[in-house]
Amino acid sequence: MNRRLTALTLSLLTLGAIGMSRDALACGGTFCDSGPAATPVDQTGENVLFVLDGNTVEAHVQIQYVGGASRFAWIVPMPKIPEVSVGSQLLFNALLQGTVPTYGYTQQFDQCGAQTGAGGSLGIGPFNGGSAGTAGTGSAGGPTVVVDKVVGSFEVVVLQGGTAQEVSDWLQSNGYQTVPNAAPLLQKYVDKSYVFAAIKLTAGTDVTEIHPLVFKYAGNEPCVPLQLTAVAAQPDMGVRAFFLGDDRVFPSNYAHVMLNPVRVDWRNSANNYDSVVSRAVDSPGSDGHGFVTEYAGVSSVVSSSAVYSTSWNAGPFRTATAEQVITLLNQQGLVNCSSYQAYCVFNHPLLLPLLEQFLPLPSGTSPTAYSCLGCDVDAGGCFGCDGAQI
């Protein structure tokens, strides 16, 4: 079965066109985690992969941000109650590497020495923004918590029912810092009988441990919640949507925009690409609401080597001693640690927090010490460990 993967870029001006207030920065969707330590996170981008099989939609969501917030929360409206699980940063790295367009040029000389330039290509294809959910007004009596669980670094609560104001009140009373226009924004999703996934970091974690999440729900129409996203967005924020399925997709409520290749700065590797996209989507006809297709074709352009490996095996860790853990992670390609150069690179945002929880180093020790756990063996078995099996 040949599945097709379509990657697109949302206009960088679209989010500014739907009434974003720069005075009401928020984290992720609509709200920040409130409290004296709360600092707004300014969202700089969002990537969403939709996997479609005709019966279910599996949405992988990765957000990008700037700011020094130690507390983080966001709201995701969903057409149905979702199953929520930990996503993969490596998956998005591979998606972007395989589908984001690149530009360049070649030179050729005729017999008179005149120079001409050419080169570069951009994949063209449509997008399916879709619309999901059945119209409704929400049930009175406030929202009901239908899911309450910890997923990776996040506490996930799914709210069902209630009016927009009741949902907003529940969020505020449960530690989410609301914004003045929260209820009107939520109302658009309440009218479609959507549920709301309220997500915030668990106690003891911070923004360095933010990772992608996966939402799986019954249905066949993906939807990107742009109006909630706009609240926390920078004025020029990009949203990429990827679609994996058997058919091509196209936008149902946004324009499909073609770029003018003449405006691309080919000689400088298209360093003006974002402004070209913004100008195209802001042109008459699309009026700031449009998508540009960057790639449409088979999924083989995305390398799977970084997403899945036959060397990944949980078995050896069941009997490993503490000082053997990093060696095993190195062998399976999950970390890259060098005792010679004293460095460690962790290939998932959760790897270092897991090590710090179950294989803690002495207070004040740099994570680079994981590169040589067995270097200073003491009575306990290794540097910073008690030598017990884990």
Side-chain angles (χ1 to χ4, degrees), residues 76-82 131-139 146 158-164 167 185-197 217-218:
V76 182
M78 309 292 297
K80 302 290 183 181
I81 299 174
S131 60
T134 303
T137 58
S139 58
V146 293
V158 178
L159 308 175
Q160 183 178 45
T163 65
V167 172
L185 290 173
L186 295 173
Q187 186 64 52
K188 299 176 184 298
Y189 300 100
V190 169
D191 288 344
K192 293 178 179 250
S193 297
Y194 274 45
V195 300
F196 295 94
Y217 56 90

Side-chain angles (χ1 to χ4, degrees), residues 309-351:
S309 172
T310 56
S311 66
W312 294 348
N313 181 9
F317 293 95
R318 295 189 177 97
T319 57
T321 59
E323 60 266 31
Q324 293 174 325
V325 170
I326 298 299
T327 299
L328 290 172
L329 291 172
N330 260 319
Q331 291 173 348
Q332 298 192 21
L334 296 170
V335 302
N336 183 12
C337 288
S338 169
S339 58
Y340 176 72
Q341 296 180 325
Y343 75 85
C344 273
V345 177
F346 303 92
N347 294 331
H348 192 283
L350 291 180
L351 276 173

Side-chain angles (χ1 to χ4, degrees), residues 102-244:
T102 58
Y103 292 81
Y105 67 95
T106 58
Q107 294 181 333
Q108 64 182 32
F109 299 89
D110 60 22
Q111 292 182 351
C112 297
Q115 176 179 312
T116 60
S121 62
L122 177 66
I124 301 299
F127 158 80
N128 181 8
S131 60
T134 303
T137 58
S139 58
T144 301
V145 175
V146 293
V147 174
D148 187 353
K149 61 186 296 188
V150 173
V151 181
S153 297
F154 294 103
E155 177 186 349
V156 179
V157 175
V158 178
L159 308 175
Q160 183 178 45
T163 65
Q165 187 59 54
E166 288 169 338
V167 172
S168 180
D169 291 344
W170 186 97
L171 292 168
Q172 187 166 13
S173 64
N174 283 272
Y176 292 83
Q177 178 183 337
T178 60
V179 294
N181 59 343
L185 290 173
L186 295 173
Q187 186 64 52
K188 299 176 184 298
Y189 300 100
V190 169
D191 288 344
K192 293 178 179 250
S193 297
Y194 274 45
V195 300
F196 295 94
I199 303 158
K200 61 183 176 180
L201 287 169
T202 58
T205 58
D206 58 38
V207 292
T208 62
E209 298 174 49
I210 292 175
H211 54 78
L213 286 173
V214 182
F215 304 88
K216 187 174 182 178
Y217 56 90
N220 58 11
E221 293 185 332
C223 179
V224 181
L226 295 178
Q227 298 198 2
L228 281 183
T229 302
V231 176
Q234 288 187 337
D236 293 332
M237 193 191 96
V239 175
R240 275 189 170 88
F242 304 84
F243 297 86
L244 183 63

Side-chain angles (χ1 to χ4, degrees), residues 37-42 65-71 206-207:
T39 303
V41 169
D42 208 2
Y65 57 90
V66 293
S70 60
R71 299 162 69 87
D206 58 38
V207 292

